[in-house]
Amino acid sequence: VIRCRAAVAWAAGHPLSIEEVEVAPPKAGEVRIKLVATGICRTDEHLLQGCFPKAEFPVIPGHEGAGIVESVGEGVTSVKPGDKVIPLCHPQCGECSFCLNPESNYCQKSHFSEPQNLLPDKTTRFTCKGKQIHHFLWVSTFAEYTVVPEYAVAKIDPAAPLDKVCLLGCGLSTGYGAAINTAKVKPGSTCAIFGLGGVGLSVVMGCKAAGASRIIAVDINKDKFAKAKELGATDCINPQECKKPVQEVLTEMTGHGVDYSFEAIGYAETMIAALASCNMSTGICVMVGELDSGSKIPLDPALLLNGRTWKGSVLGGWKVRDCIPKLVSSYLEKKFNSDLLITHTLPFAKVNEGFELLRAGK
Ligand code: NAD
Ligand code: ZN
């Protein structure tokens, strides 16, 4: 058993509290990881606010981390102590029908099929003050050590800087892949991205890498526009400064609407606006943002009648265990610069300040 620090969410709507926790050794098929760095994603905020489906408290949040294997359980062969790894909040078991389908990155062991508040044997490896603490998406990266199933770990290049490539555990991979894999953005096309957080800015990078000629970035926080332009946006729009609904503005700017639109916020209204912004025939809208659990979208089916496509994308459509190591190599080859997404670096004990910065749009 390892004693270390972790940020525990004892109940929804409360700040995290830094506690000493006990982390049990990995059981068969599991890997214990010493985490070195983690990002903060809006999905962690959904969890803290009690809006993440099927989550349970107390819980150790965090799902965008990188670290080093400390020990492995019986039967683990793909990683060994000392390996640099990214724990995966979306697994790839390699055996289910979707993992075997080259078109799909959905694994039936993902949290959409079964909650990941406990490890697959239905027990936790975390205790604090004698209480069992839940895992989050199995990975719980807001801890100095964590235990995850082997099929939720990607071994990466030992040259990778962990404080940078942790972003590939969620935000970068999600946004970049939504453009490249899910939308399959074509060279010369037009794109619109709603929401310019870590995920939306990564969509901008993906559209640029795919050769889009016009990339229109949409956000109500104009402080995000400089970074969006640096990453490849050609135009930036603040819907609050438009006299018409933003979907009408985008349709006028492009003639019939963009070829590809993306929602990376997580609101019903912006999902509808993004859908209506792509052209009504061949337009493709990719939903990346997550709605609060239980919410619904009122949809006029006429939006889809002429052929528009509305798709969702989880972790950018990557088959994670196969592709995250390749993305890390692309990062090392400077094919994209995700370092530009890093706005602040804080010591672990200031994790609540990190959330304040996220809430303040900084
Ligand atoms: P973030 O909070 O950093 O960014 C959200 C951005 O949206 C902010 O810049 C904000 O100003 C902007 N925004 C808010 N309301 C708006 C409005 N009405 N119109 C235009 N812009 C608006 O969040 P993030 O970490 O980038 O995550 C974005 C979303 O993606 C979240 O819903 C998150 O849960 C989801 N997500 C999905 C996946 C997936 O696999 N599908 C993975 C990670 C995150
Ligand atoms: Zn995330």
Side-chain angles (χ1 to χ4, degrees):
V1 173
I2 290 178
R3 289 174 165 275
C4 66
R5 290 179 307 165
V8 178
W10 290 102
H14 291 267
L16 288 160
S17 100
I18 303 285
E19 307 278 5
E20 188 182 83
V21 298
E22 283 127 49
V23 185
K27 292 190 184 175
E30 297 175 355
V31 179
R32 188 160 59 181
I33 301 167
K34 179 183 181 10
L35 288 153
V36 172
T38 182
I40 297 180
C41 165
R42 168 79 43 187
T43 304
D44 298 306
E45 171 71 351
H46 289 314
L47 170 69
L48 291 187
Q49 300 311 323
C51 304
F52 193 84
K54 298 181 264 182
E56 279 187 73
F57 291 84
V59 59
I60 299 175
H63 64 282
E64 190 177 78
I68 297 167
V69 174
E70 177 273 334
S71 60
V72 299
E74 205 188 301
V76 170
T77 53
S78 60
V79 292
K80 59 179 187 313
D83 284 347
K84 282 191 182 174
V85 291
I86 292 183
L88 303 167
C89 55
H90 188 68
Q92 183 187 347
C93 75
E95 290 169 359
C96 71
S97 59
F98 290 114
C99 277
L100 292 171
N101 179 347
E103 299 285 300
S104 165
N105 83 320
Y106 178 75
C107 171
Q108 284 169 36
K109 296 217 166 14
S110 89
H111 77 277
F112 298 101
S113 295
E114 240 183 271
Q116 295 177 336
N117 306 316
L118 297 170
L119 291 184
D121 76 341
K122 306 287 176 224
T123 62
T124 171
R125 300 294 160 270
F126 296 121
T127 39
C128 179
K129 296 174 177 159
K131 286 205 177 71
Q132 307 270 295
I133 310 295
H134 292 96
H135 295 245
F136 177 53
L137 295 175
W138 280 341
V139 291
S140 291
T141 60
F142 294 173
E144 289 173 314
Y145 287 85
T146 192
V147 179
V148 303
E150 182 181 13
Y151 49 75
V153 181
K155 180 176 164 174
I156 58 168
D157 190 316
L162 297 176
D163 59 338
K164 303 289 192 297
V165 299
C166 59
L167 297 181
L168 278 59
C170 182
L172 181 279
S173 305
T174 297
Y176 198 74
I180 290 187
N181 301 322
T182 312
K184 298 190 167 54
V185 169
K186 291 191 187 122
S189 60
T190 53
C191 302
I193 297 96
F194 287 67
L196 302 173
V199 175
L201 289 171
S202 302
V203 177
V204 171
M205 290 165 79
C207 293
K208 165 100 179 162
S213 58
R214 198 162 185 199
I215 301 173
I216 309 169
V218 180
D219 203 297
I220 51 173
N221 179 354
K222 63 179 178 1
D223 295 344
K224 304 272 181 164
F225 294 163
K227 188 61 71 74
K229 288 210 161 143
E230 192 180 352
L231 291 169
T234 53
D235 309 72
C236 293
I237 299 181
N238 180 349
Q240 291 175 334
E241 286 173 2
C242 297
K243 296 205 175 65
K244 296 177 184 168
V246 65
Q247 54 268 44
E248 288 179 28
V249 175
L250 285 162
T251 304
E252 279 175 17
M253 278 171 81
T254 52
H256 301 282
V258 294
D259 298 310
Y260 307 97
S261 58
F262 301 85
E263 204 273 3
I265 308 166
Y267 295 140
E269 317 82 79
T270 44
M271 286 185 184
I272 295 293
L275 179 62
S277 300
C278 68
N279 83 67
M280 66 161 79
S281 172
T282 57
I284 295 177
C285 175
V286 180
M287 184 181 89
V288 188
E290 283 168 47
L291 285 176
D292 287 350
S293 62
S295 23
K296 302 267 185 295
I297 300 186
L299 177 75
D300 175 358
L303 280 169
L304 299 174
L305 197 65
N306 288 295
R308 256 193 196 100
T309 303
W310 197 15
K311 304 177 88 170
S313 180
V314 68
L315 243 135
W318 305 102
K319 278 198 183 284
V320 271
R321 280 194 95 197
D322 299 342
C323 297
I324 300 279
K326 291 181 189 155
L327 271 176
V328 169
S329 302
S330 301
Y331 165 85
L332 291 171
E333 289 158 14
K334 302 201 184 325
K335 296 210 171 125
F336 55 83
N337 184 4
S338 48
D339 295 358
L340 292 171
L341 301 175
I342 301 173
T343 54
H344 301 78
T345 304
L346 299 170
F348 181 47
K350 293 194 175 168
V351 60
N352 284 312
E353 265 178 50
F355 277 92
E356 289 309 323
L357 290 165
L358 176 86
R359 288 171 197 135
K362 308 239 182 262

